[in-house]
Amino acid sequence: MTVSSSRAADAILRGTPVVPGVGAGPALLVRGEVSPEAITRFGSGDFADDDAALAAYDVAAGRVADEFTRKAEQATGVAAEVLSASAGLARDKGLRSAVRKDIAGGTDLVAAVQAAIEKFVGVFTTMGGLMAERVTDLRDIERRLVADIVGEHAPGVPDPSEPSVLVAEDLAPSDTAGLDPELVVALVTERGGATSHTAIIARQLGIPCVVGVSGAADLVTGTFLVVDGETGEIELGADPDQAAGRVEASRQARAAQAAWAGPAATSDGMPVKLLANVADGPTAAQAGTEPVQGVGLFRTELCFLNRKDEPGAEEQADIYSDVLSPYADGRVVVVRTLDAGSDKPIAFATHDGEENPALGVRGLRLSFDNPGLMDRQLDGIKIAAERTGTETWVMAPMVATVAEASDFAEKVRARGLKPGVMVEIPSAALLAHRMLEVVDFLSIGTNDLTQYTMAADRMATDLAHLTDPWQPAVLQLIAITAEAGKQAGKPVGVCGEAAADPLLAVALIGMGVTSLSMAARAVRPVGAQISNVTSDTCEAAAEVALAASDPMAARAAVRELLSG
Ligand code: PEP
Ligand code: MG
């Protein structure tokens, strides 16, 4: 935390900006806990027997689950999925059984619920990755169950009576899902990283958001805040009239971005390829209507998250054809082979019981002892490419050595397709020039490249300052890779979250990156930003970003350059 002075008019807190835009209003603190007085008052609950206590648990669990379901029905997209999952967790038989056992052992109902949740938290934390991310949801379920049992209103987001900035230690999906962007003008959390639920849902709602703000939870309700989702700065006690001007300017800028319709090029006419990241047929079709020149990352593993058995080549071809078809109009689709393992467990592929799955047998490595898995997938992709006539490139995730790249390229070329590899491991970036001797293109996965360069779990909510693609070491590796592409005259794209950051996009283009692939909703803001700068400015942006000593300084340097 940086507090420039006491909590006076000029104090500034800083965090990781995750959704751009400026929002201003009084702070509204989210009450996270059930009041201790209510719990003490409830005591043991004076139940006639264990069955009565368990019956009270069932009633509370039913009500909490119903409330999640109700909110899920009002929400859409990721928020709806997460809320439905929470409804399922609240009704979970394993959770109920843990509560029942503790009650039978003489524990009071509230303590039994807390102990059962604690057990689940332990299991989820050990599993790591996406499961660890669900710990926030478990804590939310615990608070709601205990509040219901002791007869308190559920803790969480109070209804704002005027446009306010929501401030919390962390926010659960149930807190953020039903938010009205008219009344919640910005979100600030003490914890959470760029991939936390808060960030994902704020992005979906388009609410300016800064996470990982040390000191946020100590703010006082009513303090006037100006939240800048681009710089990550939160001004305390600023002048509301001046703030209104900044908010309006940011609103107009966002409206102009939304109106951008391509094609992407710098203001002096250098074309830039903007591509979409997609997960399946529906997302590919939707993205195809945006001003994109194709798909830069089709995450095939996301089609199989719920599959127990591996689909055969023909069935895979059907699935892939749905993604390729909308781009048969001359656009390209880059298909990534299975990136199963670690935070994306796939029943038929992932190795269980690894001590450290992010560094284990994931991505391309799954084909080391199961080459048929890769062969059948490549056959499926070849059939889909021939059937649809779409220009299809194929890349492998988690490539560490040139030999791996070479073996992969051979298999892909044997099927008449164009091979590339992802640059997600520092070794691949450092050897980019040699990788390009054996493949036709590279695509930098900045999410994992950042994780592995900084040795910081991309899901860890407390390491947001490290898992930041603006980190100097990450920028250096991107620059090395882009330079190798220029030397070889071969395409080098970026397909991690970094490509969706309009400011960073300018610097990436300046480094020599030839395409940017991102979630469909990020395409217009990035395209609009690029259309406002010359290619020389992009190069200057790359230079100042690379020269900066930390992420904050790099962002500030590029922002200053663009405003000058
Ligand atoms: C990345 O690591 O940046 C990437 C694009 O792959 P994923 O996010 O699917 O791991
Ligand atoms: Mg990755």
Side-chain angles (χ1 to χ4, degrees), residues 195 277 297 299 301-302 336 339 343-344 362 395 397-398 422-424 443-452 458 494-498 517:
T195 51
N277 291 353
L297 171 64
R299 290 180 161 104
E301 67 281 356
L302 299 185
R336 175 174 77 184
D339 186 25
D343 56 337
K344 287 171 285 195
R362 56 168 297 203
M395 65 183 182
M398 292 296 293
M422 292 190 73
V423 175
E424 299 180 288
S443 183
I444 308 173
T446 46
N447 308 334
D448 277 316
L449 184 61
T450 306
Q451 154 163 277
Y452 295 124
R458 61 194 265 186
V494 170
C495 64
E497 285 295 307
S517 190

Short mmCIF file of all heavy atoms in Angstrom, two decimals, residues 195 277 297 299 301-302 336 339 343-344 362 395 397-398 422-424 443-452 458 494-498 517, ligand 1:
data_model
loop_
_atom_site.label_atom_id
_atom_site.label_comp_id
_atom_site.label_asym_id
_atom_site.label_seq_id
_atom_site.Cartn_x
_atom_site.Cartn_y
_atom_site.Cartn_z
N THR A 195 -7.15 -13.02 -12.18
CA THR A 195 -8.01 -14.14 -12.57
C THR A 195 -9.03 -14.46 -11.48
O THR A 195 -9.71 -15.47 -11.57
CB THR A 195 -7.16 -15.40 -12.84
OG1 THR A 195 -6.31 -15.59 -11.72
CG2 THR A 195 -6.35 -15.26 -14.10
N ASN A 277 -10.02 -15.30 -28.76
CA ASN A 277 -9.82 -16.54 -28.00
C ASN A 277 -11.19 -17.20 -27.83
O ASN A 277 -12.12 -16.55 -27.36
CB ASN A 277 -9.24 -16.25 -26.61
CG ASN A 277 -7.81 -15.75 -26.67
OD1 ASN A 277 -7.20 -15.72 -27.74
ND2 ASN A 277 -7.28 -15.35 -25.54
N LEU A 297 -6.63 -18.37 -30.63
CA LEU A 297 -6.48 -19.43 -29.62
C LEU A 297 -7.81 -20.12 -29.43
O LEU A 297 -8.76 -19.54 -28.90
CB LEU A 297 -6.02 -18.83 -28.27
CG LEU A 297 -6.03 -19.78 -27.07
CD1 LEU A 297 -5.05 -20.93 -27.26
CD2 LEU A 297 -5.69 -19.03 -25.78
N ARG A 299 -9.06 -23.00 -27.31
CA ARG A 299 -8.63 -23.84 -26.19
C ARG A 299 -9.41 -25.16 -26.24
O ARG A 299 -10.46 -25.29 -25.60
CB ARG A 299 -8.90 -23.12 -24.87
CG ARG A 299 -8.02 -21.90 -24.59
CD ARG A 299 -8.39 -21.28 -23.26
NE ARG A 299 -7.37 -20.41 -22.71
CZ ARG A 299 -7.42 -19.08 -22.72
NH1 ARG A 299 -8.45 -18.46 -23.25
NH2 ARG A 299 -6.46 -18.37 -22.18
N GLU A 301 -9.16 -28.02 -24.89
CA GLU A 301 -9.44 -28.78 -23.66
C GLU A 301 -10.76 -28.34 -23.01
O GLU A 301 -11.40 -29.13 -22.32
CB GLU A 301 -8.28 -28.66 -22.67
CG GLU A 301 -8.05 -27.28 -22.07
CD GLU A 301 -7.31 -26.34 -23.01
OE1 GLU A 301 -6.91 -26.77 -24.10
OE2 GLU A 301 -7.14 -25.15 -22.66
N LEU A 302 -11.18 -27.10 -23.27
CA LEU A 302 -12.41 -26.62 -22.63
C LEU A 302 -13.65 -27.34 -23.18
O LEU A 302 -14.71 -27.30 -22.58
CB LEU A 302 -12.55 -25.10 -22.79
CG LEU A 302 -11.43 -24.27 -22.16
CD1 LEU A 302 -11.74 -22.78 -22.27
CD2 LEU A 302 -11.21 -24.64 -20.69
N ARG A 336 -5.33 -24.95 -30.61
CA ARG A 336 -4.31 -25.42 -29.67
C ARG A 336 -4.63 -26.85 -29.25
O ARG A 336 -5.77 -27.15 -28.87
CB ARG A 336 -4.27 -24.53 -28.42
CG ARG A 336 -3.30 -25.08 -27.38
CD ARG A 336 -3.13 -24.18 -26.22
NE ARG A 336 -4.25 -24.23 -25.30
CZ ARG A 336 -4.36 -23.45 -24.23
NH1 ARG A 336 -3.42 -22.55 -23.99
NH2 ARG A 336 -5.39 -23.54 -23.42
N ASP A 339 -4.56 -28.75 -23.66
CA ASP A 339 -3.74 -28.21 -22.58
C ASP A 339 -4.33 -28.70 -21.27
O ASP A 339 -4.72 -27.92 -20.41
CB ASP A 339 -3.71 -26.67 -22.63
CG ASP A 339 -2.74 -26.10 -21.62
OD1 ASP A 339 -1.80 -26.81 -21.24
OD2 ASP A 339 -2.93 -24.95 -21.19
N ASP A 343 -4.58 -26.51 -13.75
CA ASP A 343 -5.87 -25.89 -13.42
C ASP A 343 -6.99 -26.32 -14.35
O ASP A 343 -8.12 -25.89 -14.19
CB ASP A 343 -5.73 -24.35 -13.42
CG ASP A 343 -5.20 -23.81 -14.73
OD1 ASP A 343 -4.55 -24.57 -15.47
OD2 ASP A 343 -5.43 -22.63 -15.01
N LYS A 344 -6.68 -27.18 -15.36
CA LYS A 344 -7.75 -27.65 -16.25
C LYS A 344 -7.74 -29.19 -16.30
O LYS A 344 -7.30 -29.78 -17.28
CB LYS A 344 -7.56 -27.07 -17.66
CG LYS A 344 -7.90 -25.58 -17.70
CD LYS A 344 -7.52 -24.95 -19.02
CE LYS A 344 -6.05 -24.74 -19.12
NZ LYS A 344 -5.64 -23.82 -20.19
N ARG A 362 1.60 -31.81 -18.05
CA ARG A 362 0.44 -31.09 -18.57
C ARG A 362 0.74 -30.66 -20.00
O ARG A 362 1.89 -30.68 -20.44
CB ARG A 362 0.08 -29.88 -17.70
CG ARG A 362 1.19 -28.89 -17.49
CD ARG A 362 0.70 -27.57 -16.88
NE ARG A 362 -0.23 -26.86 -17.76
CZ ARG A 362 -0.47 -25.54 -17.70
NH1 ARG A 362 0.17 -24.80 -16.81
NH2 ARG A 362 -1.31 -24.97 -18.52
N MET A 395 -1.18 -25.39 -32.83
CA MET A 395 -0.02 -25.15 -31.94
C MET A 395 -0.13 -26.00 -30.68
O MET A 395 -1.22 -26.38 -30.25
CB MET A 395 0.08 -23.67 -31.58
CG MET A 395 -1.07 -23.14 -30.76
SD MET A 395 -0.84 -21.35 -30.51
CE MET A 395 -2.26 -20.97 -29.50
N PRO A 397 0.73 -26.50 -26.54
CA PRO A 397 0.99 -25.74 -25.31
C PRO A 397 2.14 -26.36 -24.51
O PRO A 397 2.45 -27.54 -24.69
CB PRO A 397 -0.32 -25.90 -24.54
CG PRO A 397 -0.83 -27.25 -24.95
CD PRO A 397 -0.35 -27.49 -26.36
N MET A 398 2.75 -25.56 -23.65
CA MET A 398 3.75 -26.04 -22.70
C MET A 398 4.95 -26.72 -23.36
O MET A 398 5.39 -27.79 -22.97
CB MET A 398 3.09 -27.02 -21.70
CG MET A 398 2.12 -26.36 -20.78
SD MET A 398 2.90 -25.17 -19.68
CE MET A 398 3.91 -26.23 -18.67
N MET A 422 3.39 -22.69 -28.55
CA MET A 422 3.16 -21.58 -27.61
C MET A 422 4.45 -21.30 -26.85
O MET A 422 5.22 -22.20 -26.57
CB MET A 422 2.05 -21.95 -26.62
CG MET A 422 0.70 -22.03 -27.29
SD MET A 422 -0.61 -22.16 -26.07
CE MET A 422 -0.66 -20.51 -25.40
N VAL A 423 4.63 -20.04 -26.54
CA VAL A 423 5.76 -19.65 -25.71
C VAL A 423 5.18 -19.32 -24.34
O VAL A 423 4.63 -18.24 -24.12
CB VAL A 423 6.51 -18.45 -26.32
CG1 VAL A 423 7.61 -17.96 -25.38
CG2 VAL A 423 7.10 -18.84 -27.67
N GLU A 424 5.27 -20.32 -23.45
CA GLU A 424 4.70 -20.17 -22.10
C GLU A 424 5.73 -20.44 -21.02
O GLU A 424 5.50 -20.20 -19.85
CB GLU A 424 3.55 -21.16 -21.91
CG GLU A 424 2.41 -20.97 -22.88
CD GLU A 424 1.30 -21.96 -22.65
OE1 GLU A 424 1.49 -23.15 -22.98
OE2 GLU A 424 0.24 -21.55 -22.17
N SER A 443 3.23 -18.38 -30.57
CA SER A 443 2.17 -17.63 -29.92
C SER A 443 2.49 -17.55 -28.43
O SER A 443 2.64 -18.59 -27.77
CB SER A 443 0.82 -18.32 -30.16
OG SER A 443 -0.21 -17.56 -29.58
N ILE A 444 2.64 -16.34 -27.93
CA ILE A 444 3.09 -16.17 -26.54
C ILE A 444 1.89 -16.22 -25.59
O ILE A 444 0.98 -15.39 -25.68
CB ILE A 444 3.83 -14.82 -26.37
CG1 ILE A 444 4.95 -14.69 -27.42
CG2 ILE A 444 4.39 -14.71 -24.96
CD1 ILE A 444 5.62 -13.31 -27.45
N GLY A 445 1.90 -17.22 -24.72
CA GLY A 445 0.84 -17.34 -23.70
C GLY A 445 1.32 -16.61 -22.46
O GLY A 445 2.01 -17.16 -21.61
N THR A 446 0.96 -15.34 -22.36
CA THR A 446 1.52 -14.51 -21.29
C THR A 446 1.03 -14.92 -19.89
O THR A 446 1.69 -14.62 -18.90
CB THR A 446 1.19 -13.03 -21.51
OG1 THR A 446 -0.20 -12.92 -21.85
CG2 THR A 446 2.04 -12.44 -22.61
N ASN A 447 -0.13 -15.64 -19.83
CA ASN A 447 -0.61 -16.04 -18.50
C ASN A 447 0.38 -17.02 -17.87
O ASN A 447 0.84 -16.84 -16.74
CB ASN A 447 -1.99 -16.71 -18.59
CG ASN A 447 -2.99 -15.87 -19.36
OD1 ASN A 447 -2.86 -14.66 -19.41
ND2 ASN A 447 -3.97 -16.50 -19.97
N ASP A 448 0.72 -18.05 -18.63
CA ASP A 448 1.66 -19.02 -18.08
C ASP A 448 3.09 -18.50 -18.14
O ASP A 448 3.88 -18.78 -17.23
CB ASP A 448 1.55 -20.36 -18.82
CG ASP A 448 0.42 -21.20 -18.26
OD1 ASP A 448 0.30 -21.27 -17.02
OD2 ASP A 448 -0.37 -21.76 -19.04
N LEU A 449 3.43 -17.74 -19.18
CA LEU A 449 4.81 -17.21 -19.23
C LEU A 449 5.08 -16.37 -17.98
O LEU A 449 6.16 -16.43 -17.40
CB LEU A 449 5.02 -16.38 -20.51
CG LEU A 449 6.45 -15.87 -20.70
CD1 LEU A 449 7.44 -17.03 -20.82
CD2 LEU A 449 6.56 -14.97 -21.93
N THR A 450 4.08 -15.60 -17.54
CA THR A 450 4.25 -14.79 -16.33
C THR A 450 4.37 -15.69 -15.10
O THR A 450 5.25 -15.51 -14.26
CB THR A 450 3.05 -13.83 -16.17
OG1 THR A 450 2.91 -13.07 -17.36
CG2 THR A 450 3.26 -12.88 -15.01
N GLN A 451 3.47 -16.69 -15.03
CA GLN A 451 3.50 -17.61 -13.88
C GLN A 451 4.87 -18.28 -13.74
O GLN A 451 5.44 -18.35 -12.65
CB GLN A 451 2.40 -18.66 -14.09
CG GLN A 451 2.62 -19.99 -13.41
CD GLN A 451 1.35 -20.82 -13.31
OE1 GLN A 451 0.56 -20.64 -12.40
NE2 GLN A 451 1.16 -21.75 -14.23
N TYR A 452 5.41 -18.75 -14.88
CA TYR A 452 6.66 -19.50 -14.80
C TYR A 452 7.89 -18.60 -14.69
O TYR A 452 8.90 -18.99 -14.13
CB TYR A 452 6.79 -20.46 -15.99
CG TYR A 452 5.72 -21.54 -15.98
CD1 TYR A 452 4.87 -21.74 -17.06
CD2 TYR A 452 5.55 -22.33 -14.85
CE1 TYR A 452 3.88 -22.70 -17.03
CE2 TYR A 452 4.55 -23.30 -14.80
CZ TYR A 452 3.72 -23.48 -15.90
OH TYR A 452 2.73 -24.42 -15.85
N ARG A 458 -0.58 -18.46 -10.99
CA ARG A 458 -1.45 -17.47 -11.62
C ARG A 458 -2.80 -17.35 -10.92
O ARG A 458 -3.53 -16.39 -11.13
CB ARG A 458 -1.64 -17.78 -13.12
CG ARG A 458 -2.26 -19.11 -13.39
CD ARG A 458 -2.13 -19.53 -14.84
NE ARG A 458 -3.29 -19.18 -15.64
CZ ARG A 458 -3.46 -19.53 -16.91
NH1 ARG A 458 -2.52 -20.22 -17.53
NH2 ARG A 458 -4.53 -19.21 -17.56
N VAL A 494 0.52 -12.83 -29.56
CA VAL A 494 0.31 -12.95 -28.12
C VAL A 494 -1.14 -13.38 -27.94
O VAL A 494 -2.05 -12.80 -28.54
CB VAL A 494 0.55 -11.61 -27.38
CG1 VAL A 494 0.08 -11.69 -25.93
CG2 VAL A 494 2.03 -11.24 -27.42
N CYS A 495 -1.36 -14.45 -27.13
CA CYS A 495 -2.74 -14.90 -26.93
C CYS A 495 -3.12 -14.98 -25.46
O CYS A 495 -4.20 -15.44 -25.12
CB CYS A 495 -2.97 -16.26 -27.61
SG CYS A 495 -2.00 -17.58 -26.89
N GLY A 496 -2.26 -14.51 -24.55
CA GLY A 496 -2.62 -14.46 -23.12
C GLY A 496 -3.40 -13.19 -22.84
O GLY A 496 -3.61 -12.35 -23.72
N GLU A 497 -3.80 -13.04 -21.57
CA GLU A 497 -4.60 -11.87 -21.16
C GLU A 497 -3.93 -10.54 -21.51
O GLU A 497 -4.59 -9.52 -21.69
CB GLU A 497 -4.85 -11.91 -19.65
CG GLU A 497 -5.89 -12.92 -19.20
CD GLU A 497 -7.27 -12.60 -19.73
OE1 GLU A 497 -7.75 -11.48 -19.53
OE2 GLU A 497 -7.88 -13.49 -20.35
N ALA A 498 -2.60 -10.53 -21.59
CA ALA A 498 -1.86 -9.29 -21.87
C ALA A 498 -2.35 -8.63 -23.16
O ALA A 498 -2.36 -7.40 -23.28
CB ALA A 498 -0.37 -9.58 -21.98
N SER A 517 -4.43 -11.87 -29.70
CA SER A 517 -5.64 -12.68 -29.61
C SER A 517 -6.21 -12.56 -28.21
O SER A 517 -5.47 -12.68 -27.22
CB SER A 517 -5.32 -14.14 -29.93
OG SER A 517 -6.52 -14.86 -30.06
C1 PEP B 1 -1.57 -18.52 -21.52
O1 PEP B 1 -0.99 -19.26 -20.71
O2 PEP B 1 -1.33 -17.28 -21.62
C2 PEP B 1 -2.60 -19.06 -22.41
C3 PEP B 1 -3.10 -18.33 -23.38
O3 PEP B 1 -3.05 -20.31 -22.14
P1 PEP B 1 -4.07 -20.63 -20.94
O4 PEP B 1 -4.52 -19.34 -20.33
O5 PEP B 1 -5.18 -21.41 -21.54
O6 PEP B 1 -3.20 -21.44 -20.02
#
